[in-house]
Structure formats: C-alpha cells, structure tokens
C-alpha cells in the first residue's frame, strides 16, 4: 500500500503506492485533524498531506522494538474510547505501528479502517 517510510530529520514521509495507500494517507490526516485532544495524544502528529493522498508528512518518532503486550494494547484501545457508529479502532498492536514521540507512545500507522472496510467479507 505504502512504500517504506522515509525519515529525514524530524519528519517522516509516507508515499502511497496505490489507491489503498492514498486512502490510508488521507484517512490518517483526516483522523488526526478531527479527533479530540485525548485521542490526538495517541497519534503521531500529521503535518501535511497532498490533496490526493500521494504523500503524507508526519513527525518522526522512535519505533518500538517489540510488539505490545495484550494489556498495553487493551489500555490504548480503552483510551481511544470507541463510540458506536464510528469506524473500528484504527490501531493494531504490531511494533512497527507504534513509536515514542515526546515521551509518549503513539500510533505511527492508524489507517486500518481506511482499507479493512473494502476487503471482501469472509464466506
């Protein structure tokens, strides 16, 4: 969906490889802009996205080296405070999806609902 993230100094660049990648970039930018402060604190800051989602620029963060424990993941999911009618939780517990930014753990990839909804339903 997206090529490997390129980090240059304090910035991380996500380049879309296809339609799903563009949808993911646009989803993350919109989500970051639209959530309340408590939720925004769980997300790596988005600085800019191109109009059609080909490029997303975020703040760079130090990636986790290990997958989150189930307890850590459940705590993050609880802090997100899902409300009925919203997209599903935007997180996955994979280490590569999380990092450290300004002393707190943040999601680096939070676009799961952007592409999971268009996958074919299981038989």
């Amino acid at each position: 969906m997206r090529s490997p993230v390129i980090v240059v100094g304090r910035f991380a660049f996500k380049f879309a490889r296809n339609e799903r990648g563009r949808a993911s970039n646009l989803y993350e930018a919109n989500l970051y802009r639209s959530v309340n402060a408590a939720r925004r604190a769980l997300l790596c800051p988005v600085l800019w996205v191109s109009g059609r989602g080909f490029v997303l620029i975020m703040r760079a963060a130090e990636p986790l080296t290990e997958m989150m424990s189930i307890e850590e993941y459940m705590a993050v999911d609880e802090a997100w405070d899902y409300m009925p009618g919203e997209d599903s939780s935007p997180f996955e517990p994979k280490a590569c999806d999380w990092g450290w930014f300004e002393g707190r753990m943040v999601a680096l990839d939070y676009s799961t609902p952007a592409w999971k909804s268009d996958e074919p339903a299981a038989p």
Side-chain angles (χ1 to χ4, degrees), residues 22-91:
R22 291 189 301 277
S24 293
N25 283 346
L26 290 169
Y27 186 89
E28 287 180 354
N30 184 55
L31 186 66
Y32 185 78
R33 288 185 200 125
S34 65
V35 297
N36 63 32
R39 285 181 167 187
R40 193 173 297 118
L42 297 170
L43 307 175
C44 190
V46 169
L47 302 173
W48 180 83
V49 66
S50 62
R52 295 182 58 205
F54 287 101
V55 180
L56 176 74
I57 303 174
M58 301 175 92
R59 292 294 305 268
E62 183 69 31
L64 295 185
T65 55
E66 298 179 8
M67 187 166 155
M68 299 168 75
S69 69
I70 190 67
E71 293 81 13
E72 289 171 316
Y73 182 72
M74 296 304 290
V76 168
D77 197 53
E78 185 175 320
W80 185 254
D81 194 24
Y82 170 79
M83 303 295 281
E86 291 182 327
D87 288 337
S88 64
S89 172
F91 312 122

